[in-house]
Amino acid sequence: HKANQAATIYAFEPNPTKLKRLKTNINLNDAGSQINVQAYALAENEGTVSFHMSAGDTISDVSSVYAGHSRSFNHFEQVTVSVPSVSLDFFFKDRKQKIELIKIDVELYEIYVLRGMRDILIKDRPVIFCEIFNDIIKRKQNPLIDNEIPKGITVQIVEFLQSVQYYFYSVT
């Protein structure tokens, strides 16, 4: 927001606890007119997803569609909530502005978010910053996710990005 006062920013946050905190931070930074907050999980299609998070108002390290992933980072009571989901292609179907930058941090759900923005990637060619876990390494670190996450999901991300002429670079 501070880097480009003319930008319109959309923030998607499905975790109700983090959503309240995000809105508070936006107000504290006087950015309410520039940042449009949406209480959706991004996905490949419209509907709902089960979302695993800490119980109560506890801020968790990780909330995720995958229970095992969320549990591996948090050592307090977990709850599962149903949250509305939307694809970026559907959400922005009637938009006029070009989408220039997308940041994705969705805790192993990247392929579904990316597939849900195929039209945007082809039309607008935005820069994407995306945290991607290698699923082979992640399974070794956390056996809880082995049955939750499809095998080869990291390869699927690479193949999908190549199909829309995107290539990624590791930024560490």
Side-chain angles (χ1 to χ4, degrees):
H1 139 73
K2 298 286 184 195
N4 183 351
Q5 298 288 325
T8 299
I9 300 165
Y10 289 84
F12 294 83
E13 179 54 66
N15 180 320
T17 304
K18 289 184 178 181
L19 182 66
K20 283 191 277 186
R21 184 177 237 187
L22 173 62
K23 288 178 177 180
T24 299
N25 284 329
I26 288 169
N27 289 333
L28 288 171
N29 287 286
D30 197 29
S33 63
Q34 195 175 357
I35 301 174
N36 185 320
V37 178
Q38 299 293 320
Y40 290 108
L42 293 178
E44 188 170 0
N45 299 301
E46 295 66 55
T48 59
V49 296
S50 293
F51 196 72
H52 308 279
M53 54 183 267
S54 59
D57 285 335
T58 305
I59 297 293
S60 63
D61 292 331
V62 171
S63 303
S64 178
V65 171
Y66 301 111
H69 185 60
S70 183
R71 270 196 302 275
S72 71
F73 283 88
N74 300 298
H75 304 289
F76 32 78
E77 183 184 352
Q78 297 269 308
V79 295
T80 302
V81 296
S82 182
V83 296
S85 63
V86 67
S87 72
L88 282 178
D89 283 342
F90 181 82
F91 185 85
F92 287 112
K93 70 179 188 256
D94 297 325
R95 72 186 158 83
K96 304 290 186 247
Q97 74 273 27
K98 179 180 178 182
I99 296 173
E100 297 179 18
L101 175 69
I102 297 174
K103 178 193 171 278
I104 305 169
D105 186 353
V106 291
E107 304 302 331
L108 302 168
Y109 205 64
E110 298 85 14
I111 187 64
Y112 306 105
V113 173
L114 290 165
R115 286 179 183 158
M117 68 170 97
R118 181 182 184 86
D119 295 344
I120 289 170
L121 297 178
I122 292 168
K123 181 180 177 223
D124 292 342
R125 310 298 297 164
V127 172
I128 302 170
F129 288 95
C130 182
E131 176 187 63
I132 298 175
F133 288 113
N134 180 309
D135 69 290
I136 295 169
I137 294 169
K138 198 64 180 168
R139 283 174 212 286
K140 289 178 184 174
Q141 293 173 337
N142 180 4
L144 293 173
I145 65 169
D146 197 41
N147 293 324
E148 288 186 292
I149 298 171
K151 293 198 183 337
I153 201 159
T154 306
V155 172
Q156 290 177 36
I157 292 169
V158 172
E159 290 171 348
F160 173 79
L161 288 172
Q162 289 175 340
S163 78
V164 291
Q165 287 75 51
Y166 266 79
Y167 302 91
F168 62 87
Y169 304 90
S170 177
V171 178
T172 57

